[in-house]
Amino acid sequence: MRIGVALAERSGLDALERLTKEVRQAAADGLSSIWIPNGAGMDMLTALAVIGTRVPGIELVPAVVPTYPRHPATLAQQARTTAFALGPGRLTLGIGASHKIVVESAYGYDFDRPIRHMEEYLSVLVPLLEGESVSFRGETVRAQIALSVPNPERVPLLVAALGPKMLKLAGERADGTVLWMTGPRTVCDHIVPTINVAAETAGRARPRVVCMLPMAVTDDVKGARKRAGEIFEAYGTLPSYRAMMDREGVEGPADLAIVGNEQDAREALEQLAAAGVTDFVAGEFMRGEDGARTREFLKTFSNS
């Protein structure tokens, strides 16, 4: 199981320098990948094109780029340009439909039938990422275009998916899925079987299952869980994540955080690996000594 870290968006005039420093440290620590959300700050594909030319080797993933605000041909062009700038094997594109409250309130789009939206979106995005031309006319997306970006390889694609229909799409059309706020029992009983069957039926390779969870290696378990509950509280109110928490049988995000000493953390990651997770991405949320201890654990686990 590969080990990566999630980094937060940065603001201010030194945002790129700060992110570059964090990515450089993750690479020096021997971690396999970094994952950064694409929110209302810097466009993350553009930022990664800059950062990746400064820091070699480590896989870079925007996790995830919301699909509704961008035409799939435009996103494919941007992703392939970033991949061309970084070189082969550096960029993986993570996409997701986002949430009703974001899509409708922030962007003014109708979040009606997100499965149909994603299915049609992938009908344009996937062939363009693979260097093919596309001619498609759907209810929500239309395109007749070929791109001439000279990147030599297809850009790998992950689709954020939690429900069975979206997981089926991710298995059939993409290289895997990236999860958030999804516990080990749900991964084992729901996520992995659903996406693996879809990929196998479609004749595709076994997909990546990327599990991203908050993590703190600490002796102050109670304090860390309280802190996780405060930082990640909002995720417990979003329907898609709430459904995964209910399936897991937990009250909220604090209960999903991996919190404890090194042995506790190791056992938690081993449980995820046994469930079929291919990549674990740590959302490091503690600072100071506990933050350093968490990163030291990740370094050790990654290099073991």
Side-chain angles (χ1 to χ4, degrees), residues 158-174:
L158 301 175
V159 176
L162 297 174
K165 292 181 180 179
M166 198 69 83
L167 284 166
K168 184 172 183 289
L169 276 178
E172 291 174 343
R173 311 283 292 279

Side-chain angles (χ1 to χ4, degrees), residues 73-118:
T74 301
L75 181 57
Q77 183 181 36
Q78 187 180 18
R80 285 179 55 181
T81 301
T82 301
F84 178 60
L86 297 178
R90 297 291 313 283
L91 178 74
T92 295
L93 176 62
I95 66 169
S98 189
H99 307 276
K100 181 181 178 71
I101 189 172
V102 176
V103 171
E104 295 191 348
S105 298
Y107 296 111
Y109 287 100
D110 188 351
F111 197 68
D112 180 49
R113 297 175 64 187
I115 301 299
R116 179 198 60 181
H117 159 81
M118 184 60 74

Side-chain angles (χ1 to χ4, degrees), residues 93-154:
L93 176 62
I95 66 169
S98 189
H99 307 276
K100 181 181 178 71
I101 189 172
V102 176
V103 171
E104 295 191 348
S105 298
Y107 296 111
Y109 287 100
D110 188 351
F111 197 68
D112 180 49
R113 297 175 64 187
I115 301 299
R116 179 198 60 181
H117 159 81
M118 184 60 74
E119 184 175 15
E120 294 189 355
Y121 200 94
L122 293 173
S123 295
V124 175
L125 179 65
V126 169
L128 291 177
L129 290 179
E130 295 177 348
E132 302 171 2
S133 62
V134 64
S135 178
F136 180 79
R137 189 179 183 89
E139 294 181 56
T140 63
V141 175
R142 299 175 184 178
Q144 185 162 338
I145 189 172
L147 299 176
S148 57
V149 185
N151 61 305
E153 296 183 343
R154 64 181 291 274

